[in-house]
Amino acid sequence: MRDREIDVVNIAGTPSVLARIPVPGNPNRSVLSKNQSLLYVAQDNSDSVAVIATANNQVIAEIKVTAPVALFPNAEGYKGANPNSLALSPDGNSLYVTDGGLNAVAVVAIDNAAGIRTVEGLIPTGFYPNSVSVSADGSQLYIVNGKSATGPNPQNPDAASNQYDLQLTKAGFQIVPIPSRSNLATI
């Protein structure tokens, strides 16, 4: 993460580094396509997902996941979406990316044969989503939200009562039906 690279390691016998793939952002989670030809890597500080061809260990695309370009072209290059996790649909035609800074999951339509990867919409989530998985049948998302509103502080904040903000913050879990493409446009 610190070096902004993906390291390819041969784990047969004594592990050795085969390649270092530079990426534009700090890499977080990654997922391989079903045929293992593409590696998708969430990059939090570049608000994008790198697409790496595993045959030659090259970044072949960068998907900006802040919002659909038609809704938010982001000509000024504003940052803050913080993509931190991702998951592929069982058919490989959709990529779901948690945008922690936006409290949303970006839905990316994928057509690798045509080289098209487009954000179609955002699914609202709880506070700072940081993990997403897809059900085996591709109908639901399982989303972990890393934070919550702490609410009132019932006791004075001191070490003995554990009433500091960080002690009161809790994680959350959501099960969300995956919207159709037409419904996604209305969310």
Side-chain angles (χ1 to χ4, degrees), residues 25-42:
N26 288 352
N28 282 310
R29 299 222 176 108
S30 59
V31 63
L32 272 171
S33 61
K34 190 178 270 188
N35 67 4
Q36 298 187 359
S37 65
L38 297 172
L39 179 69
Y40 298 92
V41 182

Side-chain angles (χ1 to χ4, degrees), residues 1 12 15 25 34-35 40 57 73 79 85 91 100-101 103 105 110-111 114 116 128 136 142 147 150 161 177 180:
M1 186 167 147
K34 190 178 270 188
N35 67 4
Y40 298 92
N57 297 325
K79 302 283 190 249
S85 183
D91 64 8
N103 300 330
V105 170
I110 296 174
D111 182 349
I116 299 171
Y128 206 88
Y142 304 109
K147 299 179 181 182
T150 58
S161 64
S180 66

